[in-house]
Amino acid sequence: MANGKYTRVDGRRSASSYCSTVTITVFVALCLVGVWMMTSSSSSSVVPVQNVDEPAQEKKSEAKEQLTESNESSSNQQFEDNNADLPEDATKGGKNEKIQENIEKSDEKSNEESKFDDGSNRQMQNDDNKTGDGDSKTDSEGGETNTDESEKKSYSDENGNKSDSDDGEKKSDRKSEESSGEKVDGQVEEKEDQNENKESEKSSDDKKEDGSKNQSSNELFPSGAQLELTNETTTQKGSFSTQATESKNEKEAQQSSNQQNGYNWKLCNVTAGADFIPCLDNLQAIKKLRSTKHYEHRERHCPEEPPTCLVPLPEGYKRSIEWPTSREKIWYYNVPHTKLAKIKGHQNWVKVTGEYLTFPGGGTQFKNGALHYIDFIQESVPDVAWGKRTRVVLDVGCGVASFGGFLFDRGVLSMSFAPKDEHEAQVQFALERGIPAISAVMGTERLPFPGIVFDAVHCARCRVPWHIEGGKLLLELNRVLRPGGFFIWSATPVYQKLPEDVEIWNAMSQLIKAMCWELVSISKDTINKVGIAVYRKPTSNECYEKRSQQQPPVCSGSDDPNAAWHVPLQACMHKVPEESLERGSQWPEQWPARLEKTPYWLLSSQVGVYGKSAPEDFTADYEHWKRVVSKSYLNGMGINWSTVRNVMDMRSVYGGFAAAMKDISVWVMNVISIDSPDTLPIIYERGLFGIYHDWCESFSTYPRTYDLLHADHLFSKIKKRCNLVAVVAEVDRILRPEGKLIVRDDVETINELESMVKGMQWEVRMTYSKDKEGLLCVEKSMWRPKELETIKYAIA
């Protein structure tokens, strides 16, 4: 062969090479026949595009790992605090999807559409290795999974000045590519919302009239006959990643997998048993308290290391009864406590009725029903205007929260709270009934809420000594109550004449006058036989300035009324905001208009959480979550929303997620992490409610509290400073069995969480990943580990 080839080049022949020449001639003839046969076979068959274009594509299960080299440009930013643009859905994948450069348009219609918003092509966990879903095919066929920086440059050139290698491409294809990569600044929406009712032949996307982005993830998958090999100098590495990158990512993935798969979940062995609240049941810390005079033993005392074990279930636990039936009765074995029924049964708080605990709708102050009591307040003070002017109420010492439970019928949200005390499980009763509540106490620290956010505060015989120590506790209510808001007090000092009651009434009257609160009404309910006093907080500082004695004093200007995380109480009053653009100087719009209206005190000169002007941020956030909820959550996840009542948004920003759920019979606890921008006042301004919290600690609620937890890019943030295993254990603690967890986060974090929840035998309902972003929907199981872990600080 070598000699023959050499002689062909030189053109010299010899007699000695005759045999070689014959051999070569035969070999060449055979090669030509082989080439002809291969060409004939190729022209008569259709080759799948992935077999030609991507010989190194990975399996679908491998694509779920963190994508090594995704296109990340300024037009593809995630929906994060530190980004200037609001992106589309966290799981969006087609934003910078590059349509293959040499593919000519086919007349064939693609039957593969990616509709992640409406869930029609949901990728289930047990379908990981299937490629029927249009989006999953995009991962392997779109040529973007492993692109590197050089390919990014090529794509950038394609949107601006196209490279010479693209000259042979059709003009219409070029326009389609440019359209698919286009970004309209500041808009937020789910990727698949753009593909509804579109045919794949429309390669040039129609832009939505509302100005939102309309890039297409609907790709054509042409046959092999239509493919042209791209110029190697243009694509350079193309879909092939480097060995260094592959090895590095695999080592990191194995390390992460070994860490999580190797975790051995154990069952918490604690005195509180199935009702364990780590920060409230730290018995070791409580024993060390010097005093319990101010209810210090009922306040939060979190352990240095949060528990990583799982809380047991009560024996005989059943799936919770659905709302609104749950307001009237719950399963006894879910909250197997009878002490309150024995003590308060005659007052219609709670009664044991067979296998149920029933709630006649009464309480100490409204034995004949909470609705009558609520309507009586409205009749006494028409300006209360339940569900219109008064939307968000703080219910102090709530008992079993029947007041808050029936306020729903009047369009009112009530944040109810009571301590974990001798009135066994009162807050747990409320939560099991589907009524908002937290475990908290009026003690030595401020409540975990911003200043001037509640439209009204209610106390029905809540046993709080408001008048002592300079009125420190009542002044805390003054901090959180809106100017012009009402304090509704129905307690024995209002209507009884016993010496103790008279003494308290006189002390309260003197204190309230010094605080400049106006007594609006004092009336007696002849049916319930209780008295109700209603006071209004002033809307100006005029009264404060005219007081002869400055007691209680006005707080110093440096005292921030919004600071509420472990801040000691002080016996002083914060001035009322009077500047026209200052928060609290005006009453919000009536409900429900206030839900969608941008607060008047959000100024264009302010920069919002996502880097735009605050009003733009607010609006875009709401539009984003309306699309996500309507297109994805309500229809695309297989969740039976009739079983969902108690919802928590673990990382709320402007409350957009909760606002988007307004037409569903749920309530949402909006949580603002203490290390996040303080947007909780905005949430209250919208007629919603929430709380400050540090997710490195346990939440102030009983186990099995929530039906659904929602976390948007929370876990990737908190794992930098918290033990992620402990946070997942806390999620398990507060989520009801068969409850759902929806997580939107980066792929690495999604993989970690998926591994951990699988270890708890949770069912993975959906997992989806694209461009380093992922979504995970899982359902908690009834499984509990057998091995125990004793928590020493929680043992009596």
Side-chain angles (χ1 to χ4, degrees), residues 81-96:
D81 295 4
N82 59 349
N83 286 337
D85 289 331
L86 290 171
E88 301 192 8
D89 185 352
T91 63
K92 66 184 183 301
K95 184 173 197 173
N96 284 326

Side-chain angles (χ1 to χ4, degrees), residues 411-425:
V412 177
L413 272 181
S414 178
M415 174 73 77
S416 302
F417 76 91
K420 187 177 183 181
D421 60 9
E422 64 274 7
H423 281 172
E424 199 172 45

Side-chain angles (χ1 to χ4, degrees), residues 280 294-301 396-397 417-421 438-448 464 473 476 569 700:
L280 299 182
H294 299 98
Y295 271 65
E296 291 92 339
H297 57 304
R298 306 297 184 195
E299 294 181 320
R300 290 172 60 85
H301 300 282
V396 183
F417 76 91
K420 187 177 183 181
D421 60 9
I438 59 169
S439 292
V441 65
M442 299 288 293
T444 66
E445 296 180 341
R446 289 179 177 177
L447 296 170
V464 177
L473 301 181
E476 172 61 3
L569 291 178
S700 292

